Short mmCIF file of all heavy atoms in Angstrom, two decimals:
data_model
loop_
_atom_site.label_atom_id
_atom_site.label_comp_id
_atom_site.label_asym_id
_atom_site.label_seq_id
_atom_site.Cartn_x
_atom_site.Cartn_y
_atom_site.Cartn_z
N PRO A 7 -26.00 -73.67 -3.77
CA PRO A 7 -26.53 -74.49 -2.68
C PRO A 7 -27.02 -73.67 -1.48
O PRO A 7 -27.93 -74.09 -0.78
CB PRO A 7 -25.35 -75.37 -2.27
CG PRO A 7 -24.45 -75.38 -3.44
CD PRO A 7 -24.62 -74.04 -4.08
N ASP A 8 -26.42 -72.49 -1.25
CA ASP A 8 -26.83 -71.67 -0.11
C ASP A 8 -28.26 -71.15 -0.25
O ASP A 8 -29.05 -71.21 0.68
CB ASP A 8 -25.87 -70.50 0.09
CG ASP A 8 -24.49 -70.95 0.53
OD1 ASP A 8 -24.36 -72.07 1.08
OD2 ASP A 8 -23.53 -70.20 0.32
N SER A 9 -28.61 -70.65 -1.43
CA SER A 9 -29.97 -70.14 -1.65
C SER A 9 -30.89 -71.20 -2.28
O SER A 9 -32.06 -70.93 -2.51
CB SER A 9 -29.94 -68.90 -2.54
OG SER A 9 -29.55 -69.25 -3.85
N ARG A 10 -30.31 -72.36 -2.56
CA ARG A 10 -31.05 -73.46 -3.20
C ARG A 10 -31.73 -73.00 -4.48
O ARG A 10 -32.91 -73.21 -4.71
CB ARG A 10 -32.05 -74.08 -2.23
CG ARG A 10 -31.35 -74.74 -1.06
CD ARG A 10 -32.29 -75.31 -0.05
NE ARG A 10 -31.54 -75.92 1.02
CZ ARG A 10 -31.59 -77.19 1.34
NH1 ARG A 10 -32.39 -78.00 0.70
NH2 ARG A 10 -30.85 -77.67 2.32
N SER A 11 -30.93 -72.32 -5.30
CA SER A 11 -31.45 -71.78 -6.55
C SER A 11 -30.45 -72.03 -7.67
O SER A 11 -29.30 -72.40 -7.44
CB SER A 11 -31.71 -70.28 -6.41
OG SER A 11 -30.51 -69.59 -6.19
N VAL A 12 -30.92 -71.84 -8.90
CA VAL A 12 -30.08 -71.98 -10.09
C VAL A 12 -30.29 -70.74 -10.95
O VAL A 12 -31.42 -70.40 -11.30
CB VAL A 12 -30.42 -73.24 -10.91
CG1 VAL A 12 -29.53 -73.34 -12.14
CG2 VAL A 12 -30.27 -74.50 -10.05
N LEU A 13 -29.19 -70.06 -11.26
CA LEU A 13 -29.21 -68.93 -12.18
C LEU A 13 -28.83 -69.46 -13.55
O LEU A 13 -27.80 -70.11 -13.70
CB LEU A 13 -28.20 -67.87 -11.72
CG LEU A 13 -27.92 -66.70 -12.67
CD1 LEU A 13 -29.17 -65.85 -12.86
CD2 LEU A 13 -26.75 -65.88 -12.16
N VAL A 14 -29.66 -69.21 -14.55
CA VAL A 14 -29.39 -69.67 -15.91
C VAL A 14 -29.13 -68.44 -16.78
O VAL A 14 -29.99 -67.56 -16.91
CB VAL A 14 -30.56 -70.50 -16.49
CG1 VAL A 14 -30.30 -70.87 -17.94
CG2 VAL A 14 -30.79 -71.75 -15.65
N LEU A 15 -27.93 -68.39 -17.36
CA LEU A 15 -27.55 -67.34 -18.30
C LEU A 15 -27.60 -67.94 -19.69
O LEU A 15 -27.05 -69.01 -19.93
CB LEU A 15 -26.16 -66.82 -17.99
CG LEU A 15 -25.93 -66.29 -16.57
CD1 LEU A 15 -24.47 -65.91 -16.38
CD2 LEU A 15 -26.84 -65.11 -16.29
N ARG A 16 -28.25 -67.24 -20.62
CA ARG A 16 -28.39 -67.75 -21.98
C ARG A 16 -27.64 -66.86 -22.95
O ARG A 16 -27.74 -65.62 -22.87
CB ARG A 16 -29.87 -67.83 -22.35
CG ARG A 16 -30.58 -68.87 -21.50
CD ARG A 16 -31.99 -69.16 -21.97
NE ARG A 16 -32.51 -70.31 -21.26
CZ ARG A 16 -33.46 -70.25 -20.35
NH1 ARG A 16 -34.02 -69.10 -20.05
NH2 ARG A 16 -33.88 -71.34 -19.75
N ALA A 17 -26.90 -67.46 -23.86
CA ALA A 17 -26.15 -66.71 -24.88
C ALA A 17 -27.12 -65.89 -25.71
O ALA A 17 -28.24 -66.31 -25.99
CB ALA A 17 -25.36 -67.66 -25.76
N GLY A 18 -26.67 -64.70 -26.11
CA GLY A 18 -27.49 -63.85 -26.94
C GLY A 18 -28.57 -63.12 -26.18
O GLY A 18 -29.44 -62.49 -26.76
N SER A 19 -28.53 -63.22 -24.85
CA SER A 19 -29.55 -62.56 -24.04
C SER A 19 -28.87 -61.90 -22.84
O SER A 19 -28.01 -62.49 -22.21
CB SER A 19 -30.57 -63.59 -23.54
OG SER A 19 -31.44 -63.01 -22.61
N ASP A 20 -29.25 -60.68 -22.58
CA ASP A 20 -28.73 -59.99 -21.40
C ASP A 20 -29.52 -60.36 -20.15
O ASP A 20 -29.13 -60.01 -19.05
CB ASP A 20 -28.76 -58.48 -21.60
CG ASP A 20 -27.73 -58.02 -22.62
OD1 ASP A 20 -26.72 -58.73 -22.80
OD2 ASP A 20 -27.95 -56.97 -23.24
N SER A 21 -30.62 -61.05 -20.33
CA SER A 21 -31.44 -61.42 -19.19
C SER A 21 -31.02 -62.78 -18.65
O SER A 21 -30.35 -63.55 -19.32
CB SER A 21 -32.92 -61.43 -19.57
OG SER A 21 -33.15 -62.43 -20.53
N SER A 22 -31.42 -63.04 -17.44
CA SER A 22 -31.15 -64.33 -16.82
C SER A 22 -32.43 -64.82 -16.18
O SER A 22 -33.38 -64.07 -15.98
CB SER A 22 -30.04 -64.19 -15.78
OG SER A 22 -30.42 -63.26 -14.79
N VAL A 23 -32.45 -66.10 -15.86
CA VAL A 23 -33.60 -66.71 -15.21
C VAL A 23 -33.10 -67.37 -13.94
O VAL A 23 -32.08 -68.05 -13.95
CB VAL A 23 -34.27 -67.77 -16.12
CG1 VAL A 23 -35.47 -68.39 -15.45
CG2 VAL A 23 -34.67 -67.16 -17.46
N VAL A 24 -33.83 -67.16 -12.84
CA VAL A 24 -33.48 -67.81 -11.58
C VAL A 24 -34.58 -68.80 -11.24
O VAL A 24 -35.77 -68.45 -11.23
CB VAL A 24 -33.33 -66.79 -10.43
CG1 VAL A 24 -33.00 -67.50 -9.12
CG2 VAL A 24 -32.25 -65.77 -10.76
N TYR A 25 -34.18 -70.05 -10.98
CA TYR A 25 -35.11 -71.09 -10.56
C TYR A 25 -34.82 -71.39 -9.10
O TYR A 25 -33.66 -71.53 -8.71
CB TYR A 25 -34.91 -72.36 -11.40
CG TYR A 25 -35.19 -72.14 -12.86
CD1 TYR A 25 -34.15 -71.84 -13.73
CD2 TYR A 25 -36.48 -72.22 -13.36
CE1 TYR A 25 -34.40 -71.62 -15.09
CE2 TYR A 25 -36.73 -72.00 -14.71
CZ TYR A 25 -35.68 -71.71 -15.56
OH TYR A 25 -35.93 -71.50 -16.88
N GLY A 26 -35.86 -71.49 -8.30
CA GLY A 26 -35.65 -71.78 -6.90
C GLY A 26 -36.93 -71.69 -6.10
O GLY A 26 -38.01 -71.51 -6.65
N PRO A 27 -36.79 -71.77 -4.79
CA PRO A 27 -37.96 -71.87 -3.92
C PRO A 27 -38.67 -70.55 -3.64
O PRO A 27 -39.80 -70.55 -3.17
CB PRO A 27 -37.37 -72.44 -2.62
CG PRO A 27 -35.97 -71.93 -2.61
CD PRO A 27 -35.54 -71.91 -4.05
N GLU A 28 -38.05 -69.44 -3.91
CA GLU A 28 -38.64 -68.14 -3.56
C GLU A 28 -39.71 -67.72 -4.57
O GLU A 28 -39.60 -68.04 -5.75
CB GLU A 28 -37.54 -67.08 -3.48
CG GLU A 28 -36.45 -67.40 -2.47
CD GLU A 28 -36.98 -67.59 -1.07
OE1 GLU A 28 -37.91 -66.88 -0.65
OE2 GLU A 28 -36.45 -68.49 -0.37
N PRO A 29 -40.73 -66.98 -4.13
CA PRO A 29 -41.81 -66.55 -5.04
C PRO A 29 -41.32 -65.74 -6.24
O PRO A 29 -41.91 -65.82 -7.30
CB PRO A 29 -42.72 -65.71 -4.14
CG PRO A 29 -42.42 -66.15 -2.75
CD PRO A 29 -40.98 -66.59 -2.76
N GLU A 30 -40.24 -64.97 -6.07
CA GLU A 30 -39.77 -64.15 -7.19
C GLU A 30 -39.01 -64.97 -8.24
O GLU A 30 -38.67 -64.47 -9.30
CB GLU A 30 -38.89 -62.98 -6.69
CG GLU A 30 -37.57 -63.39 -6.07
CD GLU A 30 -37.65 -63.64 -4.56
OE1 GLU A 30 -38.75 -63.75 -4.00
OE2 GLU A 30 -36.59 -63.73 -3.95
N HIS A 31 -38.74 -66.23 -7.95
CA HIS A 31 -38.07 -67.11 -8.91
C HIS A 31 -39.09 -67.73 -9.86
O HIS A 31 -40.30 -67.63 -9.64
CB HIS A 31 -37.29 -68.19 -8.18
CG HIS A 31 -36.20 -67.66 -7.31
ND1 HIS A 31 -35.61 -68.39 -6.34
CD2 HIS A 31 -35.61 -66.44 -7.24
CE1 HIS A 31 -34.70 -67.68 -5.71
NE2 HIS A 31 -34.68 -66.48 -6.25
N ASP A 32 -38.58 -68.38 -10.89
CA ASP A 32 -39.47 -68.96 -11.91
C ASP A 32 -40.12 -70.27 -11.48
O ASP A 32 -40.83 -70.87 -12.26
CB ASP A 32 -38.69 -69.18 -13.21
CG ASP A 32 -38.90 -68.04 -14.18
OD1 ASP A 32 -39.31 -66.96 -13.74
OD2 ASP A 32 -38.67 -68.24 -15.38
N GLY A 33 -39.87 -70.73 -10.29
CA GLY A 33 -40.56 -71.93 -9.84
C GLY A 33 -39.64 -73.02 -9.36
O GLY A 33 -38.43 -72.85 -9.29
N LYS A 34 -40.24 -74.14 -9.06
CA LYS A 34 -39.51 -75.24 -8.46
C LYS A 34 -39.00 -76.24 -9.48
O LYS A 34 -38.43 -77.25 -9.12
CB LYS A 34 -40.38 -75.94 -7.42
CG LYS A 34 -40.67 -75.02 -6.25
CD LYS A 34 -41.35 -75.74 -5.13
CE LYS A 34 -41.56 -74.75 -4.00
NZ LYS A 34 -42.02 -75.38 -2.80
N LEU A 35 -39.19 -75.95 -10.77
CA LEU A 35 -38.67 -76.83 -11.82
C LEU A 35 -37.63 -76.08 -12.64
O LEU A 35 -37.91 -75.02 -13.20
CB LEU A 35 -39.79 -77.31 -12.75
CG LEU A 35 -40.77 -78.31 -12.19
CD1 LEU A 35 -41.83 -78.64 -13.23
CD2 LEU A 35 -40.07 -79.59 -11.72
N LEU A 36 -36.42 -76.63 -12.69
CA LEU A 36 -35.36 -76.11 -13.55
C LEU A 36 -35.62 -76.63 -14.96
O LEU A 36 -35.78 -77.84 -15.15
CB LEU A 36 -34.00 -76.58 -13.05
CG LEU A 36 -32.80 -76.37 -13.97
CD1 LEU A 36 -32.54 -74.88 -14.18
CD2 LEU A 36 -31.57 -77.05 -13.38
N VAL A 37 -35.72 -75.74 -15.94
CA VAL A 37 -35.93 -76.14 -17.33
C VAL A 37 -34.83 -75.54 -18.19
O VAL A 37 -34.09 -74.66 -17.76
CB VAL A 37 -37.33 -75.71 -17.85
CG1 VAL A 37 -38.43 -76.38 -17.06
CG2 VAL A 37 -37.48 -74.20 -17.82
N SER A 38 -34.73 -76.04 -19.42
CA SER A 38 -33.69 -75.59 -20.33
C SER A 38 -34.26 -75.36 -21.71
O SER A 38 -35.05 -76.15 -22.21
CB SER A 38 -32.59 -76.67 -20.41
OG SER A 38 -31.70 -76.39 -21.46
N SER A 39 -33.82 -74.28 -22.35
CA SER A 39 -34.22 -74.03 -23.73
C SER A 39 -33.45 -74.94 -24.69
O SER A 39 -33.82 -75.10 -25.84
CB SER A 39 -34.01 -72.56 -24.09
OG SER A 39 -32.64 -72.22 -24.00
N ILE A 40 -32.37 -75.54 -24.21
CA ILE A 40 -31.51 -76.42 -25.03
C ILE A 40 -32.04 -77.85 -25.02
O ILE A 40 -31.87 -78.58 -25.99
CB ILE A 40 -30.06 -76.41 -24.49
CG1 ILE A 40 -29.50 -74.99 -24.46
CG2 ILE A 40 -29.16 -77.34 -25.28
CD1 ILE A 40 -29.43 -74.32 -25.80
N LEU A 41 -32.66 -78.27 -23.92
CA LEU A 41 -33.11 -79.65 -23.73
C LEU A 41 -34.63 -79.69 -23.68
O LEU A 41 -35.22 -79.59 -22.62
CB LEU A 41 -32.53 -80.22 -22.43
CG LEU A 41 -31.03 -80.06 -22.21
CD1 LEU A 41 -30.65 -80.56 -20.83
CD2 LEU A 41 -30.24 -80.78 -23.29
N PRO A 42 -35.29 -79.85 -24.83
CA PRO A 42 -36.76 -79.85 -24.85
C PRO A 42 -37.34 -80.92 -23.93
O PRO A 42 -36.94 -82.08 -23.99
CB PRO A 42 -37.10 -80.15 -26.31
CG PRO A 42 -35.86 -79.87 -27.08
CD PRO A 42 -34.71 -80.09 -26.14
N GLY A 43 -38.24 -80.51 -23.07
CA GLY A 43 -38.90 -81.45 -22.17
C GLY A 43 -38.13 -81.73 -20.88
O GLY A 43 -38.64 -82.41 -20.00
N PHE A 44 -36.92 -81.21 -20.75
CA PHE A 44 -36.15 -81.45 -19.52
C PHE A 44 -36.68 -80.59 -18.39
O PHE A 44 -36.98 -79.41 -18.58
CB PHE A 44 -34.66 -81.13 -19.72
CG PHE A 44 -33.88 -81.14 -18.43
CD1 PHE A 44 -33.47 -82.34 -17.87
CD2 PHE A 44 -33.60 -79.96 -17.75
CE1 PHE A 44 -32.77 -82.35 -16.68
CE2 PHE A 44 -32.91 -79.96 -16.55
CZ PHE A 44 -32.49 -81.16 -16.02
N SER A 45 -36.77 -81.19 -17.22
CA SER A 45 -37.03 -80.43 -16.00
C SER A 45 -36.43 -81.19 -14.83
O SER A 45 -36.38 -82.42 -14.84
CB SER A 45 -38.53 -80.20 -15.78
OG SER A 45 -39.19 -81.42 -15.56
N ALA A 46 -35.93 -80.45 -13.87
CA ALA A 46 -35.41 -81.03 -12.64
C ALA A 46 -36.11 -80.35 -11.49
O ALA A 46 -36.23 -79.13 -11.45
CB ALA A 46 -33.90 -80.82 -12.54
N ASN A 47 -36.61 -81.14 -10.58
CA ASN A 47 -37.29 -80.62 -9.40
C ASN A 47 -36.26 -79.99 -8.48
O ASN A 47 -35.36 -80.65 -7.97
CB ASN A 47 -38.03 -81.76 -8.69
CG ASN A 47 -38.92 -81.28 -7.58
OD1 ASN A 47 -39.07 -80.08 -7.37
ND2 ASN A 47 -39.53 -82.21 -6.88
N MET A 48 -36.35 -78.68 -8.31
CA MET A 48 -35.35 -77.94 -7.54
C MET A 48 -35.15 -78.49 -6.13
O MET A 48 -34.02 -78.70 -5.72
CB MET A 48 -35.73 -76.46 -7.49
CG MET A 48 -35.64 -75.76 -8.82
SD MET A 48 -33.96 -75.63 -9.44
CE MET A 48 -33.25 -74.61 -8.17
N PRO A 49 -36.22 -78.76 -5.36
CA PRO A 49 -35.99 -79.29 -4.02
C PRO A 49 -35.18 -80.60 -4.02
O PRO A 49 -34.37 -80.82 -3.12
CB PRO A 49 -37.39 -79.51 -3.46
CG PRO A 49 -38.24 -78.52 -4.20
CD PRO A 49 -37.64 -78.48 -5.59
N ASP A 50 -35.35 -81.44 -5.03
CA ASP A 50 -34.63 -82.70 -5.09
C ASP A 50 -33.11 -82.48 -5.25
O ASP A 50 -32.31 -83.29 -4.78
CB ASP A 50 -35.13 -83.57 -6.26
CG ASP A 50 -36.52 -84.11 -6.03
OD1 ASP A 50 -37.02 -84.00 -4.88
OD2 ASP A 50 -37.13 -84.60 -6.99
N LEU A 51 -32.71 -81.42 -5.95
CA LEU A 51 -31.29 -81.17 -6.15
C LEU A 51 -30.58 -80.86 -4.84
O LEU A 51 -29.38 -81.09 -4.71
CB LEU A 51 -31.08 -79.99 -7.10
CG LEU A 51 -31.41 -80.18 -8.57
CD1 LEU A 51 -31.16 -78.89 -9.34
CD2 LEU A 51 -30.61 -81.33 -9.17
#
């Protein structure tokens, strides 16, 4: 909540994805490789 971001760690991968408002993040939509078609608007959270 402090940075208004979501860090997603995926099994079998050493990499992570950060979703949030900053340009270096993946954008304003949180998505999931587990839930096809799911997205949550980061600012709404």
Side-chain angles (χ1 to χ4, degrees):
D8 292 339
S9 68
R10 295 177 180 242
S11 64
V12 180
L13 171 65
V14 176
L15 304 175
R16 294 190 170 110
S19 172
D20 290 334
S21 64
S22 59
V23 180
V24 179
Y25 298 95
E28 302 302 322
E30 67 270 14
H31 298 163
D32 263 20
K34 294 188 178 189
L35 288 178
L36 168 65
V37 298
S38 169
S39 62
I40 303 299
L41 310 175
F44 170 80
S45 65
N47 188 4
M48 293 293 296
D50 290 348
L51 289 179

